[in-house]
Amino acid sequence: MQHQIILLKEGTESSQGKSQLISNINACQAIADCVRTTLGPRGSDKLIVNNNGNATISNDGATIMKMLDVVHPAARTLVDIAKSQDAEVGDGTTSVVLLAGELLRQVKPYIEEGVHSQVTIKAYRKATNLCIEKINEIAVTIGKTNEAEYRASLEKCAATAMSSKLIHGQKDFFKKMVVDAVLMLDTLLPLDMIGIKKVPGGGLEDTLLVQGVAFKKTFSYAGFEMQPKSYDNPKIALLNIELELKAERDNAEVRVSNVAEYQKIVDAEWGILYDKLDKIHQSGAKIVLSKLPIGDVATQYFSDRDMFCAGRVPEEDLKRTIKACGGSVLTTVGDLKDSTMGTCERFEEKQIGSDRFNFFTGCPHAKTCTVVLRGGAEQFMDETERSLHDAIMIVRRAMKNDAIVAGGGAIEMELSKYLRDVSRTIAGKEQLLIGYAKALEVIPRQLCDNAGFDSTNILNKLRQKHAQGHKWYGVDIMNEDIADNFHECVWEPSLVKINALTAASEAACLILSVDETVKNPKSGGGDMGGMPAGRGRGRPM
């Protein structure tokens, strides 16, 4: 008799073949079903509660994906493509997951009948390339010559990105703010130069856009109220130094034989502190910002000399202040000179809601801006921040890649019609790319379903219009009908669509190419507080 060969460690789970592939496809469909209802202007929101009991309300695909603790290895691929779409383009995170799920759904019956997955992969890759060529061919370029028109087209892209979000009611107010914010930046459009600060209270319409840096007043000691709250053209010292007295016992052990010696130690400490403060004062700085605490003695000292100080400034705010106002963070006061200090045209402290904010405006170096968000509930403000992030990313993309297409399912229907036409000219199994054409229709169909329309009826109308050569016809959510979405100003950067199609098709091909899953056993096994299963605690091995 031949003995059984044990190749893998005991406890390893291994499953392979057709059943494994079908199981992976089912898991991915379950993930797509989670976010399916959040697509479009009439999409629903999801309320997700984490282990700490904090609730998040969102309809942003990437946020939902991050918060779902997905353990299925194949389904994690969809979480990754949603994250990559969010990082690369900012919007279209729900669409990309839906597309990937639908591509797998279309291929499932063929896999069950025994068609080899590599045939499908080849067809899908070909279809993706055809789609990208078609998008590049029909995309419309935004003209940059006429500034008013260019701005209006960017606003339309921002409004489209926000129409499916929680703040769609205020999109006219926010689209101007988002475009203003992005136009204030340098040519590289760095995202970290747009700060978003949330202040509870007030309505959404009370949100401000500050051309410069703004951050919340930091913790302050007595004497703070006596400091001036506004300056013109001040010098700004940016430090990474503690300006307070340390309790001796915290730092060192010093043995003294009489009181006079102890007094010398105390005097020396005060001397060091006052020496630092004098140097800061003599440098001509009017505003002192430090990453570390500024104590009560220093606060009082500065207020006596009409200087303003803030300690424990968050690092990101300090970095933005450096980029905007110039200067550099110093770890010693010995090097304070004009070249190492920042400046701005105006500094003031204002009350916003229940918080005080420090504003630096008219910054000479980098262009930066801060959005101060107002709103009622905290979850509502968090969702508004996510919505603005998506809109800001879309405007950046539209500025960098100035080609746009119509949204609302129009481009998907046009690509679907194009792929059907191409598939009729191909002999052999690669006709499978008709599955890709069917999958693309999931976007307009889901837009209709989420709004409560008859999706079959509307899709039939769309197919007829696209067959007649009306390439920009898509779903009209407002009138339960179809409309020329390019004319209706529902616009999206073509890059969003190209990225979504590429990522969805890559994910689908990746999952189809897997035919075996091997799970290694956990080290230690069991749930006995890290003990191997089947052993009592404390017993020898």
Side-chain angles (χ1 to χ4, degrees):
M1 264 181 75
Q2 194 175 358
H3 284 289
Q4 183 187 2
I5 298 169
I6 296 175
L7 190 65
L8 299 169
K9 204 171 169 185
E10 192 184 344
T12 304
E13 293 173 37
S14 169
S15 45
Q16 63 190 110
K18 194 197 294 182
S19 60
Q20 176 56 33
L21 186 48
I22 299 291
S23 149
N24 284 350
I25 292 176
N26 290 342
C28 291
Q29 284 179 1
I31 287 280
D33 288 340
C34 287
V35 292
R36 188 178 287 281
T37 53
T38 67
L39 185 76
R42 296 279 185 274
S44 324
D45 294 347
K46 305 282 180 198
L47 193 152
I48 302 164
V49 184
N50 64 8
N51 1 346
N52 302 335
N54 298 335
T56 305
I57 299 174
S58 179
N59 72 351
D60 177 41
T63 308
I64 295 168
M65 289 306 219
K66 281 178 201 161
M67 300 200 72
L68 290 175
D69 203 359
V70 179
V71 290
H72 193 286
R76 273 201 203 145
T77 317
L78 296 197
V79 180
D80 292 340
I81 57 168
K83 283 182 185 171
S84 82
Q85 177 81 2
D86 193 42
E88 184 60 30
V89 196
D91 201 18
T93 46
T94 310
S95 312
V96 74
V97 176
L98 273 186
L99 275 170
E102 194 63 24
L103 287 171
L104 292 169
R105 186 190 298 268
Q106 292 298 335
V107 80
K108 190 176 164 186
Y110 299 113
I111 298 285
E112 284 170 338
E113 283 168 22
V115 175
H116 198 284
S117 58
Q118 288 301 331
V119 177
T120 318
I121 290 173
K122 194 175 172 190
Y124 275 6
R125 293 231 160 103
K126 184 169 185 176
T128 311
N129 293 335
L130 287 168
C131 283
I132 290 170
E133 282 167 24
K134 182 70 173 171
I135 292 177
N136 288 330
E137 181 192 317
I138 64 176
V140 179
T141 308
I142 309 174
K144 292 190 177 181
T145 45
N146 183 335
E147 203 168 302
E149 273 181 26
Y150 179 53
R151 192 195 156 86
S153 50
L154 289 177
E155 281 184 9
K156 283 161 192 162
C157 289
T160 306
M162 283 189 274
S163 61
S164 61
K165 305 291 181 199
L166 195 65
I167 53 172
H168 61 84
Q170 280 84 10
K171 68 181 178 193
D172 291 340
F173 171 74
F174 278 113
K175 72 181 181 187
K176 294 188 180 70
M177 186 175 281
V178 165
V179 174
D180 281 341
V182 179
L183 288 175
M184 280 177 194
L185 298 180
D186 295 336
T187 46
L188 289 172
L189 306 176
L191 193 63
D192 58 350
M193 294 307 275
I194 300 180
I196 298 183
K197 303 288 172 197
K198 295 174 290 207
V199 184
L204 269 182
E205 306 272 339
D206 299 333
T207 299
L208 320 166
L209 177 66
V210 182
Q211 191 167 356
V213 183
F215 54 82
K216 201 165 153 183
K217 168 179 158 304
T218 55
F219 175 79
S220 51
Y221 288 94
F224 185 84
E225 291 307 327
M226 290 143 61
Q227 296 178 349
K229 297 294 182 273
S230 63
Y231 294 96
D232 287 318
N233 298 314
K235 288 184 188 171
I236 305 166
L238 303 142
L239 308 173
N240 189 6
I241 306 172
E242 269 186 316
L243 295 174
E244 64 178 353
L245 291 168
K246 277 294 206 189
E248 289 79 3
R249 61 191 159 75
D250 290 355
N251 287 2
E253 181 180 322
V254 183
R255 303 200 172 195
V256 290
S257 52
N258 58 32
V259 176
E261 285 178 15
Y262 178 69
Q263 188 61 42
K264 276 183 197 165
I265 295 167
V266 174
D267 290 346
E269 200 174 12
W270 281 83
I272 292 166
L273 178 63
Y274 274 119
D275 184 45
K276 286 180 188 172
L277 298 177
D278 282 337
K279 281 184 177 157
I280 294 170
H281 175 53
Q282 283 156 18
S283 69
K286 282 289 176 198
I287 295 170
V288 183
L289 302 177
S290 177
K291 214 193 299 187
L292 297 174
I294 293 180
D296 43 4
V297 177
T299 308
Q300 195 73 49
Y301 180 93
F302 290 139
S303 62
D304 289 345
R305 286 157 184 75
D306 280 348
M307 290 162 70
F308 174 91
C309 67
R312 297 199 183 105
V313 178
E315 190 162 2
E316 58 174 283
D317 291 328
L318 208 58
K319 278 184 181 165
R320 279 188 33 246
T321 312
I322 293 166
K323 282 185 182 167
C325 303
S328 49
V329 174
L330 301 178
T331 50
T332 166
V333 288
D335 200 23
L336 274 173
K337 48 182 184 279
D338 286 2
S339 60
T340 56
M341 288 197 284
T343 181
C344 66
E345 279 174 25
R346 178 115 182 102
F347 164 81
E348 55 189 323
E349 186 178 292
K350 289 185 199 161
Q351 185 85 15
I352 297 183
S354 57
D355 293 325
R356 305 268 285 275
F357 266 74
N358 300 331
F359 290 91
F360 297 83
T361 46
C363 304
H365 285 261
K367 300 187 173 108
T368 175
C369 57
T370 310
V371 180
V372 182
L373 269 185
R374 306 299 310 278
E378 200 158 313
Q379 286 100 335
F380 184 72
M381 278 159 60
D382 290 346
E383 179 61 5
T384 308
E385 183 184 3
R386 285 190 284 269
S387 310
L388 286 182
H389 169 264
D390 284 12
I392 287 167
M393 290 288 277
I394 285 295
V395 175
R396 280 177 73 215
R397 286 291 160 217
M399 283 172 75
K400 283 187 180 175
N401 306 68
D402 48 4
I404 53 170
V405 292
I411 185 78
E412 283 85 3
M413 289 306 288
E414 181 60 23
L415 293 175
S416 175
K417 172 227 163 199
Y418 171 64
L419 284 182
R420 282 170 201 272
D421 294 348
V422 171
S423 70
R424 293 193 188 100
T425 65
I426 299 176
K429 287 180 182 168
E430 279 196 22
Q431 271 207 351
L432 274 174
L433 57 84
I434 199 145
Y436 202 101
K438 283 182 186 165
L440 285 167
E441 290 184 355
V442 72
I443 303 288
R445 171 171 281 125
Q446 199 57 49
L447 284 172
C448 297
D449 289 347
N450 288 352
F453 304 160
D454 180 350
S455 55
T456 313
N457 183 16
I458 287 182
L459 280 181
N460 286 340
K461 283 185 188 174
L462 281 176
R463 285 193 199 105
Q464 177 207 11
K465 280 286 185 194
H466 283 267
Q468 291 167 357
H470 299 287
K471 61 183 176 190
W472 295 133
Y473 264 78
V475 182
D476 181 356
I477 294 283
M478 297 307 155
N479 305 316
E480 195 169 341
D481 200 9
I482 60 172
D484 183 334
N485 276 353
F486 204 87
H487 186 256
E488 293 292 321
C489 301
V490 180
W491 295 353
E492 296 190 65
S494 61
L495 192 79
V496 176
K497 293 295 169 200
I498 291 174
N499 215 58
L501 287 168
T502 316
S505 131
E506 281 293 328
C509 293
L510 186 68
I511 287 159
L512 289 171
S513 64
V514 172
D515 74 334
E516 179 170 7
T517 306
V518 179
K519 263 191 185 173
N520 289 330
K522 284 184 185 172
S523 55
D527 291 321
M528 297 271 296
M531 289 281 188
R535 278 187 55 242
R537 295 190 185 187
R539 268 176 55 196
M541 290 297 281

